[in-house]
mmCIF file of all heavy atoms in Angstrom:
data_model
loop_
_atom_site.group_PDB
_atom_site.id
_atom_site.type_symbol
_atom_site.label_atom_id
_atom_site.label_comp_id
_atom_site.label_asym_id
_atom_site.label_seq_id
_atom_site.Cartn_x
_atom_site.Cartn_y
_atom_site.Cartn_z
ATOM 1 N N ALA A 1 -34.763 -266.080 228.749
ATOM 2 C CA ALA A 1 -33.837 -267.110 228.810
ATOM 3 C C ALA A 1 -33.837 -267.960 229.893
ATOM 4 O O ALA A 1 -32.729 -268.379 230.603
ATOM 5 C CB ALA A 1 -32.355 -266.373 228.671
ATOM 6 N N GLY A 2 -35.049 -268.392 230.380
ATOM 7 C CA GLY A 2 -35.278 -269.193 231.455
ATOM 8 C C GLY A 2 -35.140 -268.747 232.789
ATOM 9 O O GLY A 2 -35.370 -269.378 233.867
ATOM 10 N N LYS A 3 -34.837 -267.520 232.990
ATOM 11 C CA LYS A 3 -34.699 -266.774 234.308
ATOM 12 C C LYS A 3 -35.888 -265.707 234.407
ATOM 13 O O LYS A 3 -36.460 -265.329 233.404
ATOM 14 C CB LYS A 3 -33.363 -266.132 234.425
ATOM 15 C CG LYS A 3 -32.148 -267.093 234.488
ATOM 16 C CD LYS A 3 -30.857 -266.407 234.711
ATOM 17 C CE LYS A 3 -29.718 -267.373 234.631
ATOM 18 N NZ LYS A 3 -28.471 -266.642 234.928
ATOM 19 N N LYS A 4 -36.110 -265.418 235.665
ATOM 20 C CA LYS A 4 -37.098 -264.389 235.916
ATOM 21 C C LYS A 4 -36.645 -263.022 235.127
ATOM 22 O O LYS A 4 -35.512 -262.535 235.279
ATOM 23 C CB LYS A 4 -37.035 -263.968 237.404
ATOM 24 C CG LYS A 4 -37.780 -265.019 238.278
ATOM 25 C CD LYS A 4 -38.041 -264.517 239.704
ATOM 26 C CE LYS A 4 -36.817 -264.236 240.526
ATOM 27 N NZ LYS A 4 -36.972 -264.044 241.929
ATOM 28 N N ALA A 5 -37.668 -262.576 234.343
ATOM 29 C CA ALA A 5 -37.300 -261.325 233.512
ATOM 30 C C ALA A 5 -37.132 -260.156 234.252
ATOM 31 O O ALA A 5 -36.347 -259.182 234.097
ATOM 32 C CB ALA A 5 -38.443 -261.106 232.618
ATOM 33 N N HIS A 6 -37.921 -260.081 235.506
ATOM 34 C CA HIS A 6 -37.875 -258.882 236.492
ATOM 35 C C HIS A 6 -37.790 -259.393 237.828
ATOM 36 O O HIS A 6 -38.706 -260.209 238.163
ATOM 37 C CB HIS A 6 -38.989 -257.986 236.086
ATOM 38 C CG HIS A 6 -38.948 -256.547 236.894
ATOM 39 N ND1 HIS A 6 -38.908 -256.421 238.186
ATOM 40 C CD2 HIS A 6 -38.633 -255.373 236.385
ATOM 41 C CE1 HIS A 6 -38.816 -255.229 238.395
ATOM 42 N NE2 HIS A 6 -38.692 -254.480 237.269
ATOM 43 N N PRO A 7 -36.966 -258.925 238.764
ATOM 44 C CA PRO A 7 -36.952 -259.413 240.089
ATOM 45 C C PRO A 7 -38.079 -259.228 240.963
ATOM 46 O O PRO A 7 -38.207 -259.823 241.919
ATOM 47 C CB PRO A 7 -35.557 -258.875 240.685
ATOM 48 C CG PRO A 7 -35.406 -257.598 239.883
ATOM 49 C CD PRO A 7 -35.945 -257.842 238.461
ATOM 50 N N THR A 8 -38.801 -258.218 240.586
ATOM 51 C CA THR A 8 -39.820 -257.782 241.563
ATOM 52 C C THR A 8 -41.233 -257.577 240.960
ATOM 53 O O THR A 8 -42.037 -256.837 241.200
ATOM 54 C CB THR A 8 -39.499 -256.380 242.244
ATOM 55 O OG1 THR A 8 -39.431 -255.388 241.287
ATOM 56 C CG2 THR A 8 -38.194 -256.496 243.038
ATOM 57 N N GLN A 9 -41.454 -258.560 239.937
ATOM 58 C CA GLN A 9 -42.796 -258.442 239.162
ATOM 59 C C GLN A 9 -43.895 -258.694 240.216
ATOM 60 O O GLN A 9 -43.879 -259.512 240.961
ATOM 61 C CB GLN A 9 -42.746 -259.504 238.148
ATOM 62 C CG GLN A 9 -44.015 -259.591 237.327
ATOM 63 C CD GLN A 9 -44.128 -260.732 236.305
ATOM 64 O OE1 GLN A 9 -43.135 -261.146 235.953
ATOM 65 N NE2 GLN A 9 -45.383 -261.073 235.776
ATOM 66 N N LYS A 10 -44.881 -257.787 240.133
ATOM 67 C CA LYS A 10 -45.964 -257.860 241.026
ATOM 68 C C LYS A 10 -47.135 -258.742 240.396
ATOM 69 O O LYS A 10 -47.365 -258.770 239.225
ATOM 70 C CB LYS A 10 -46.524 -256.479 241.386
ATOM 71 C CG LYS A 10 -45.513 -255.684 242.126
ATOM 72 C CD LYS A 10 -45.068 -256.276 243.567
ATOM 73 C CE LYS A 10 -44.230 -255.417 244.369
ATOM 74 N NZ LYS A 10 -42.878 -255.266 243.782
ATOM 75 N N PRO A 11 -47.915 -259.442 241.259
ATOM 76 C CA PRO A 11 -49.017 -260.214 240.709
ATOM 77 C C PRO A 11 -50.085 -259.353 240.207
ATOM 78 O O PRO A 11 -50.472 -258.233 240.727
ATOM 79 C CB PRO A 11 -49.575 -260.986 241.944
ATOM 80 C CG PRO A 11 -49.086 -260.227 243.147
ATOM 81 C CD PRO A 11 -47.817 -259.431 242.721
ATOM 82 N N GLU A 12 -50.697 -259.844 239.249
ATOM 83 C CA GLU A 12 -51.850 -259.051 238.511
ATOM 84 C C GLU A 12 -53.097 -258.966 239.547
ATOM 85 O O GLU A 12 -53.803 -257.981 239.458
ATOM 86 C CB GLU A 12 -52.341 -259.769 237.252
ATOM 87 C CG GLU A 12 -51.253 -259.615 236.154
ATOM 88 C CD GLU A 12 -51.784 -260.085 234.789
ATOM 89 O OE1 GLU A 12 -53.041 -260.332 234.622
ATOM 90 O OE2 GLU A 12 -50.959 -260.263 233.813
ATOM 91 N N SER A 13 -53.188 -259.881 240.400
ATOM 92 C CA SER A 13 -54.361 -259.833 241.383
ATOM 93 C C SER A 13 -54.182 -258.639 242.227
ATOM 94 O O SER A 13 -55.153 -258.078 242.588
ATOM 95 C CB SER A 13 -54.276 -261.076 242.220
ATOM 96 O OG SER A 13 -53.089 -261.347 242.904
ATOM 97 N N LEU A 14 -53.026 -258.242 242.695
ATOM 98 C CA LEU A 14 -52.774 -257.091 243.535
ATOM 99 C C LEU A 14 -53.074 -255.913 242.773
ATOM 100 O O LEU A 14 -53.937 -254.898 243.214
ATOM 101 C CB LEU A 14 -51.354 -256.933 243.916
ATOM 102 C CG LEU A 14 -50.834 -255.759 244.666
ATOM 103 C CD1 LEU A 14 -51.621 -255.872 246.161
ATOM 104 C CD2 LEU A 14 -49.298 -255.734 245.034
ATOM 105 N N LEU A 15 -52.768 -255.691 241.338
ATOM 106 C CA LEU A 15 -53.037 -254.512 240.646
ATOM 107 C C LEU A 15 -54.454 -254.413 240.307
ATOM 108 O O LEU A 15 -55.096 -253.356 240.330
ATOM 109 C CB LEU A 15 -52.260 -254.452 239.321
ATOM 110 C CG LEU A 15 -50.833 -253.778 239.397
ATOM 111 C CD1 LEU A 15 -51.097 -252.135 239.758
ATOM 112 C CD2 LEU A 15 -49.984 -254.247 240.480
ATOM 113 N N ALA A 16 -55.090 -255.560 240.142
ATOM 114 C CA ALA A 16 -56.535 -255.600 239.709
ATOM 115 C C ALA A 16 -57.366 -255.094 241.005
ATOM 116 O O ALA A 16 -58.277 -254.249 240.780
ATOM 117 C CB ALA A 16 -57.016 -257.036 239.442
ATOM 118 N N ARG A 17 -57.022 -255.525 242.211
ATOM 119 C CA ARG A 17 -57.649 -255.030 243.346
ATOM 120 C C ARG A 17 -57.590 -253.431 243.536
ATOM 121 O O ARG A 17 -58.535 -252.735 243.867
ATOM 122 C CB ARG A 17 -57.144 -255.741 244.596
ATOM 123 C CG ARG A 17 -58.055 -255.401 245.825
ATOM 124 C CD ARG A 17 -57.687 -256.216 247.057
ATOM 125 N NE ARG A 17 -58.022 -257.733 246.788
ATOM 126 C CZ ARG A 17 -57.910 -258.626 247.853
ATOM 127 N NH1 ARG A 17 -57.622 -258.204 248.919
ATOM 128 N NH2 ARG A 17 -58.151 -259.863 247.483
ATOM 129 N N ILE A 18 -56.284 -253.028 243.266
ATOM 130 C CA ILE A 18 -56.069 -251.557 243.370
ATOM 131 C C ILE A 18 -56.869 -250.758 242.401
ATOM 132 O O ILE A 18 -57.519 -249.729 242.664
ATOM 133 C CB ILE A 18 -54.534 -251.272 243.236
ATOM 134 C CG1 ILE A 18 -53.887 -251.823 244.466
ATOM 135 C CG2 ILE A 18 -54.355 -249.844 242.977
ATOM 136 C CD1 ILE A 18 -52.431 -251.744 244.305
ATOM 137 N N LEU A 19 -56.797 -251.185 241.144
ATOM 138 C CA LEU A 19 -57.564 -250.520 240.144
ATOM 139 C C LEU A 19 -59.191 -250.598 240.310
ATOM 140 O O LEU A 19 -59.778 -249.612 239.947
ATOM 141 C CB LEU A 19 -57.131 -250.982 238.705
ATOM 142 C CG LEU A 19 -55.655 -250.829 238.342
ATOM 143 C CD1 LEU A 19 -55.431 -250.965 236.889
ATOM 144 C CD2 LEU A 19 -55.141 -249.419 238.696
ATOM 145 N N LEU A 20 -59.557 -251.754 240.677
ATOM 146 C CA LEU A 20 -60.991 -251.824 240.875
ATOM 147 C C LEU A 20 -61.541 -250.976 242.028
ATOM 148 O O LEU A 20 -62.565 -250.427 242.064
ATOM 149 C CB LEU A 20 -61.343 -253.272 241.177
ATOM 150 C CG LEU A 20 -61.437 -254.189 239.980
ATOM 151 C CD1 LEU A 20 -61.610 -255.765 240.499
ATOM 152 C CD2 LEU A 20 -62.462 -253.790 238.941
ATOM 153 N N ALA A 21 -60.655 -250.857 243.077
ATOM 154 C CA ALA A 21 -60.924 -249.981 244.127
ATOM 155 C C ALA A 21 -60.963 -248.537 243.918
ATOM 156 O O ALA A 21 -61.806 -247.845 244.423
ATOM 157 C CB ALA A 21 -59.923 -250.363 245.316
ATOM 158 N N SER A 22 -59.993 -248.012 243.063
ATOM 159 C CA SER A 22 -59.845 -246.670 243.111
ATOM 160 C C SER A 22 -59.683 -245.971 241.762
ATOM 161 O O SER A 22 -59.339 -244.824 241.450
ATOM 162 C CB SER A 22 -58.510 -246.376 243.780
ATOM 163 O OG SER A 22 -57.446 -247.122 243.319
ATOM 164 N N THR A 23 -60.363 -246.648 240.740
ATOM 165 C CA THR A 23 -60.420 -246.003 239.406
ATOM 166 C C THR A 23 -61.785 -246.452 238.787
ATOM 167 O O THR A 23 -62.307 -247.539 239.214
ATOM 168 C CB THR A 23 -59.292 -246.421 238.468
ATOM 169 O OG1 THR A 23 -59.315 -247.880 238.153
ATOM 170 C CG2 THR A 23 -57.990 -246.040 239.045
ATOM 171 N N ASN A 24 -62.068 -245.805 237.678
ATOM 172 C CA ASN A 24 -63.248 -246.219 236.999
ATOM 173 C C ASN A 24 -62.908 -246.439 235.438
ATOM 174 O O ASN A 24 -61.679 -245.958 235.121
ATOM 175 C CB ASN A 24 -64.394 -245.007 237.028
ATOM 176 C CG ASN A 24 -64.808 -244.783 238.426
ATOM 177 O OD1 ASN A 24 -65.244 -245.759 239.106
ATOM 178 N ND2 ASN A 24 -64.700 -243.650 238.977
ATOM 179 N N ARG A 25 -63.846 -246.877 234.815
ATOM 180 C CA ARG A 25 -63.531 -247.203 233.303
ATOM 181 C C ARG A 25 -63.142 -245.860 232.569
ATOM 182 O O ARG A 25 -63.541 -244.796 232.938
ATOM 183 C CB ARG A 25 -64.784 -247.699 232.671
ATOM 184 C CG ARG A 25 -64.568 -247.986 231.202
ATOM 185 C CD ARG A 25 -65.819 -248.466 230.573
ATOM 186 N NE ARG A 25 -65.711 -248.737 229.107
ATOM 187 C CZ ARG A 25 -66.512 -249.048 228.297
ATOM 188 N NH1 ARG A 25 -67.836 -249.156 228.687
ATOM 189 N NH2 ARG A 25 -66.329 -249.259 226.995
ATOM 190 N N ASP A 26 -62.124 -246.020 231.833
ATOM 191 C CA ASP A 26 -61.386 -244.914 230.975
ATOM 192 C C ASP A 26 -60.595 -244.000 231.884
ATOM 193 O O ASP A 26 -60.003 -243.072 231.258
ATOM 194 C CB ASP A 26 -62.628 -244.204 230.237
ATOM 195 C CG ASP A 26 -63.332 -244.948 229.223
ATOM 196 O OD1 ASP A 26 -62.649 -245.780 228.631
ATOM 197 O OD2 ASP A 26 -64.516 -244.688 229.036
ATOM 198 N N ASP A 27 -60.465 -244.264 233.185
ATOM 199 C CA ASP A 27 -59.505 -243.315 233.749
ATOM 200 C C ASP A 27 -58.058 -243.664 233.349
ATOM 201 O O ASP A 27 -57.726 -244.552 232.706
ATOM 202 C CB ASP A 27 -59.495 -243.799 235.360
ATOM 203 C CG ASP A 27 -60.612 -243.119 236.099
ATOM 204 O OD1 ASP A 27 -61.428 -242.312 235.527
ATOM 205 O OD2 ASP A 27 -60.880 -243.360 237.203
ATOM 206 N N VAL A 28 -57.152 -242.580 233.679
ATOM 207 C CA VAL A 28 -55.748 -242.679 233.229
ATOM 208 C C VAL A 28 -55.010 -242.972 234.447
ATOM 209 O O VAL A 28 -54.987 -242.273 235.455
ATOM 210 C CB VAL A 28 -55.388 -241.319 232.624
ATOM 211 C CG1 VAL A 28 -53.767 -241.357 232.169
ATOM 212 C CG2 VAL A 28 -56.069 -240.938 231.460
ATOM 213 N N ILE A 29 -54.223 -244.209 234.307
ATOM 214 C CA ILE A 29 -53.345 -244.681 235.390
ATOM 215 C C ILE A 29 -51.912 -244.430 234.947
ATOM 216 O O ILE A 29 -51.536 -244.881 233.837
ATOM 217 C CB ILE A 29 -53.598 -246.084 235.824
ATOM 218 C CG1 ILE A 29 -55.096 -246.190 236.423
ATOM 219 C CG2 ILE A 29 -52.702 -246.586 236.906
ATOM 220 C CD1 ILE A 29 -55.965 -246.896 235.386
ATOM 221 N N LEU A 30 -51.105 -243.711 235.717
ATOM 222 C CA LEU A 30 -49.678 -243.599 235.528
ATOM 223 C C LEU A 30 -48.845 -244.596 236.429
ATOM 224 O O LEU A 30 -49.038 -244.501 237.635
ATOM 225 C CB LEU A 30 -49.349 -242.053 235.739
ATOM 226 C CG LEU A 30 -47.762 -241.758 235.944
ATOM 227 C CD1 LEU A 30 -47.113 -242.019 234.501
ATOM 228 C CD2 LEU A 30 -47.530 -240.328 236.408
ATOM 229 N N ASP A 31 -47.914 -245.225 235.808
ATOM 230 C CA ASP A 31 -46.912 -245.943 236.465
ATOM 231 C C ASP A 31 -45.557 -245.613 236.047
ATOM 232 O O ASP A 31 -45.072 -245.917 235.013
ATOM 233 C CB ASP A 31 -47.214 -247.476 236.148
ATOM 234 C CG ASP A 31 -46.345 -248.443 237.034
ATOM 235 O OD1 ASP A 31 -45.243 -247.878 237.440
ATOM 236 O OD2 ASP A 31 -46.613 -249.647 237.128
ATOM 237 N N PRO A 32 -44.896 -244.810 236.941
ATOM 238 C CA PRO A 32 -43.518 -244.279 236.589
ATOM 239 C C PRO A 32 -42.497 -245.276 236.686
ATOM 240 O O PRO A 32 -41.334 -244.975 236.345
ATOM 241 C CB PRO A 32 -43.299 -243.161 237.652
ATOM 242 C CG PRO A 32 -44.073 -243.521 238.854
ATOM 243 C CD PRO A 32 -45.327 -244.311 238.166
ATOM 244 N N PHE A 33 -42.725 -246.382 237.139
ATOM 245 C CA PHE A 33 -41.735 -247.566 237.226
ATOM 246 C C PHE A 33 -42.307 -248.873 236.724
ATOM 247 O O PHE A 33 -42.736 -249.771 237.424
ATOM 248 C CB PHE A 33 -41.238 -247.751 238.773
ATOM 249 C CG PHE A 33 -40.860 -246.516 239.335
ATOM 250 C CD1 PHE A 33 -41.707 -245.849 240.260
ATOM 251 C CD2 PHE A 33 -39.577 -246.045 239.341
ATOM 252 C CE1 PHE A 33 -41.297 -244.600 240.910
ATOM 253 C CE2 PHE A 33 -39.073 -244.851 239.888
ATOM 254 C CZ PHE A 33 -40.008 -244.197 240.659
ATOM 255 N N PHE A 34 -42.549 -248.753 235.351
ATOM 256 C CA PHE A 34 -43.390 -249.807 234.732
ATOM 257 C C PHE A 34 -43.025 -251.070 234.723
ATOM 258 O O PHE A 34 -43.797 -252.055 234.605
ATOM 259 C CB PHE A 34 -43.681 -249.159 233.271
ATOM 260 C CG PHE A 34 -44.913 -249.684 232.563
ATOM 261 C CD1 PHE A 34 -46.194 -249.366 233.122
ATOM 262 C CD2 PHE A 34 -44.826 -250.413 231.418
ATOM 263 C CE1 PHE A 34 -47.300 -249.707 232.504
ATOM 264 C CE2 PHE A 34 -45.980 -250.872 230.893
ATOM 265 C CZ PHE A 34 -47.208 -250.552 231.371
ATOM 266 N N GLY A 35 -41.633 -251.311 234.633
ATOM 267 C CA GLY A 35 -41.124 -252.654 234.726
ATOM 268 C C GLY A 35 -41.662 -253.429 233.461
ATOM 269 O O GLY A 35 -41.547 -253.030 232.399
ATOM 270 N N THR A 36 -42.121 -254.694 233.824
ATOM 271 C CA THR A 36 -42.617 -255.544 232.706
ATOM 272 C C THR A 36 -44.089 -255.430 232.385
ATOM 273 O O THR A 36 -44.661 -256.283 231.705
ATOM 274 C CB THR A 36 -42.198 -256.957 232.906
ATOM 275 O OG1 THR A 36 -42.635 -257.337 234.237
ATOM 276 C CG2 THR A 36 -40.699 -257.190 232.806
ATOM 277 N N GLY A 37 -44.623 -254.374 233.035
ATOM 278 C CA GLY A 37 -46.096 -253.933 232.433
ATOM 279 C C GLY A 37 -47.334 -254.464 233.182
ATOM 280 O O GLY A 37 -48.250 -254.571 232.577
ATOM 281 N N THR A 38 -47.098 -254.986 234.387
ATOM 282 C CA THR A 38 -48.270 -255.485 235.133
ATOM 283 C C THR A 38 -49.391 -254.430 235.151
ATOM 284 O O THR A 38 -50.597 -254.692 234.921
ATOM 285 C CB THR A 38 -47.908 -255.835 236.545
ATOM 286 O OG1 THR A 38 -46.918 -256.973 236.460
ATOM 287 C CG2 THR A 38 -49.136 -256.582 237.248
ATOM 288 N N THR A 39 -49.059 -253.230 235.516
ATOM 289 C CA THR A 39 -50.141 -252.131 235.566
ATOM 290 C C THR A 39 -50.906 -251.957 234.285
ATOM 291 O O THR A 39 -52.065 -251.856 234.276
ATOM 292 C CB THR A 39 -49.488 -250.803 235.949
ATOM 293 O OG1 THR A 39 -48.942 -250.944 237.385
ATOM 294 C CG2 THR A 39 -50.547 -249.754 236.113
ATOM 295 N N GLY A 40 -50.062 -252.003 233.149
ATOM 296 C CA GLY A 40 -50.690 -251.808 231.894
ATOM 297 C C GLY A 40 -51.570 -252.962 231.469
ATOM 298 O O GLY A 40 -52.631 -252.784 230.799
#
C-alpha cells in the first residue's frame, strides 16, 4: 500500500555474500526470523 512492507528488510547483496561465503549448493539454510523472505 505504498509503504515499506517490512521495517528492517535486509539487502540481497548482504545475504548473497553470507551464503556464498559459508554454504555450498544444496545446503539447508534456516532463517527463524524470515520476514519478507530475503534469505529464501
Side-chain angles (χ1 to χ4, degrees):
K3 296 183 179 181
K4 290 189 294 186
H6 193 290
T8 64
Q9 182 182 337
K10 296 300 183 288
E12 291 189 9
S13 59
L14 180 66
L15 269 296
R17 188 172 295 191
I18 289 168
L19 298 193
L20 284 172
S22 51
T23 65
N24 297 308
R25 181 183 178 184
D26 296 327
D27 278 357
V28 178
I29 297 108
L30 166 68
D31 186 338
F33 307 97
F34 202 64
T36 51
T38 302
T39 301

